[in-house]
Amino acid sequence: MLLRCGVPMEPKPFSLGARIEHPQSAIDLAQYGAPRGALLPAADYSLSVRLPGGGTAYTFCMCPGGEVIAAASESGGVVTNGMSYSRRDGKNANSALLVPVRPQDFPHAGPLGGMLWQREIERRAFEYAGGGYFAPAQLVGDFLAGRASSGAAGVEPSYAPGVFWGDLRRVLPARVCSGMAEALPLLGRRLRGFDAPAAVLTGPETRSSSPVRIPRGADRCSALRGLYPCGEGASWAGGITSAAVDGLPGGIRRDHGQGRFQAAVHDVGILAELEQFCLVPGAQDIHTRDKAAGKAAGGQGVQNGTVGVKVGHGQMVKEHDRVDVALRPSFAARAAALQAHAD
């Protein structure tokens, strides 16, 4: 949509690969030198290596005691990702094993060439695994030997709804597979057991970062005035925390000349709403639809109602769950201000 509207975009490097799973107990032993017991946390790792044939490979988004999860955003495609629950007490550890790719490697031209390649790989994985959103999986030993896998060999994959045992070379680009094959023994020297034959590769991992960037100027605005690209989707961040930090300066901007607020655009094309806190320079009142609830609350925040409070210049104002607040100028007017500014 943004491209059709003339918003400048450009392709950028990203990475492709698969999730790799080991027993968490094996990672603990490699990192601590002994079983961790009840006091130590589940061990993690972060690895990278330069490949003899050129290029690099690395691990990303390591999930101690975690699971490989389904992350498809379109029907007919398979995407893997990883997560850990807060206790990190799952039986497996997993991370992405990735090989960087550059725009000149993309088989499709144009600013969305990388995105089209992602979609192509994800759909190929879906079809190869027989539909049903099963993910292709292969043992590390079989992957290195160049043969398809027929089942687990001690490490049970955690991906739900399930895996299709086979050959990841039927899904991932040859350059990516050769980079992973080069990297595994080298990474095994840095973390004992990383290249264990029974470890499981589940893929594809295609969404570690965005393959397209929306350029912006020093004022954080794109060539379309009023559009503020930020976060991961616009390729100005590389993770949850960096996306949050990148969004803060553009989250809400005040036009000092007209005293109105402009909403930023988070990721691609979504108006940003600050979820908990907003800095409100010069605001004097917060009004509510339900003035009675505000009076009954005595100006104090409540979780399930609306509240009226007074704020001074530059104070932090918390938007509680299900609280409908409007600033002067109102929150509701931000979208209109953005549109007017763009026009």
Side-chain angles (χ1 to χ4, degrees), residues 19 38 51 68 79 97 108 110 236 244 267 273 299 301-303 320 343:
R19 305 300 296 190
L51 303 177
V68 178
V79 184
L97 175 59
H108 304 280
W236 290 101
D267 292 339
E273 289 296 336
V302 295
Q303 186 171 359
H320 292 274
D343 293 343

Side-chain angles (χ1 to χ4, degrees), residues 15-21 60-61 63 67-73 77-83 94-98 118 121-122 125-126 129 133-138 157-164 168 171-172 180 200-209:
S15 298
L16 294 168
R19 305 300 296 190
I20 183 167
E21 281 190 280
F60 175 76
C61 185
C63 304
E67 299 175 5
V68 178
I69 61 172
S73 60
V78 169
V79 184
T80 61
N81 204 334
M83 59 158 282
N94 77 82
S95 71
L97 175 59
L98 299 174
Q118 283 179 326
I121 294 167
E122 293 161 11
F126 180 85
Y133 297 93
F134 294 97
Q138 189 173 14
S158 60
Y159 178 89
V163 302
F164 172 84
L168 285 174
V171 174
L172 292 170
M180 291 168 61
V200 176
L201 293 166
T202 307
E205 169 95 12
T206 55
R207 307 286 188 95
S208 61
S209 65

Side-chain angles (χ1 to χ4, degrees), residues 27-268:
I27 302 301
D28 294 338
L29 189 61
Q31 295 289 59
Y32 293 136
R36 76 172 189 268
L39 298 179
L40 292 173
D44 60 10
Y45 58 80
S46 178
L47 305 172
S48 63
V49 64
R50 292 189 177 275
L51 303 177
T56 60
Y58 64 99
T59 64
F60 175 76
C61 185
M62 193 275 166
C63 304
E67 299 175 5
V68 178
I69 61 172
S73 60
E74 297 178 318
S75 61
V78 169
V79 184
T80 61
N81 204 334
M83 59 158 282
S84 297
Y85 290 104
S86 59
R87 292 185 179 181
R88 298 184 170 186
D89 57 357
K91 63 181 180 179
N92 288 353
N94 77 82
S95 71
L97 175 59
L98 299 174
V99 175
V101 292
R102 303 162 298 174
Q104 52 264 45
D105 301 320
F106 300 173
H108 304 280
L112 301 183
M115 187 198 74
L116 295 175
W117 197 18
Q118 283 179 326
R119 180 179 291 167
E120 182 181 283
I121 294 167
E122 293 161 11
R123 291 181 175 175
R124 186 160 61 236
F126 180 85
E127 295 169 1
Y128 177 62
Y133 297 93
F134 294 97
Q138 189 173 14
L139 301 179
V140 165
D142 290 337
F143 180 77
L144 292 175
R147 60 176 178 261
S149 294
S150 57
V155 181
E156 291 295 330
S158 60
Y159 178 89
V163 302
F164 172 84
W165 293 103
D167 185 355
L168 285 174
R169 287 178 173 83
R170 298 280 300 275
V171 174
L172 292 170
R175 180 181 179 278
V176 173
C177 289
S178 62
M180 291 168 61
E182 277 190 277
L184 279 162
L186 299 175
L187 295 174
R189 298 176 192 173
R190 300 192 176 190
L191 182 68
R192 181 177 298 178
F194 188 83
D195 58 343
V200 176
L201 293 166
T202 307
E205 169 95 12
T206 55
R207 307 286 188 95
S208 61
S209 65
S210 174
V212 58
R213 171 174 286 145
I214 303 177
R216 68 188 185 191
D219 61 354
R220 308 179 73 85
C221 189
S222 74
L224 176 62
R225 303 310 299 172
L227 181 67
Y228 293 86
C230 57
E232 291 194 73
S235 287
W236 290 101
I240 297 171
T241 303
S242 62
V245 171
D246 183 67
L248 284 173
I252 191 168
R253 298 175 61 89
R254 188 178 184 210
D255 184 329
H256 294 285
Q258 300 186 34
R260 68 188 181 190
F261 293 92
Q262 302 164 1
V265 172
H266 262 283
D267 292 339
V268 178

Side-chain angles (χ1 to χ4, degrees), residues 302-323:
V302 295
Q303 186 171 359
N304 294 316
T306 51
V307 183
V309 295
K310 294 283 187 177
V311 296
H313 182 82
Q315 289 182 328
M316 276 296 184
V317 180
K318 185 169 184 179
E319 295 181 22
H320 292 274
D321 293 343
R322 297 177 58 188
V323 174

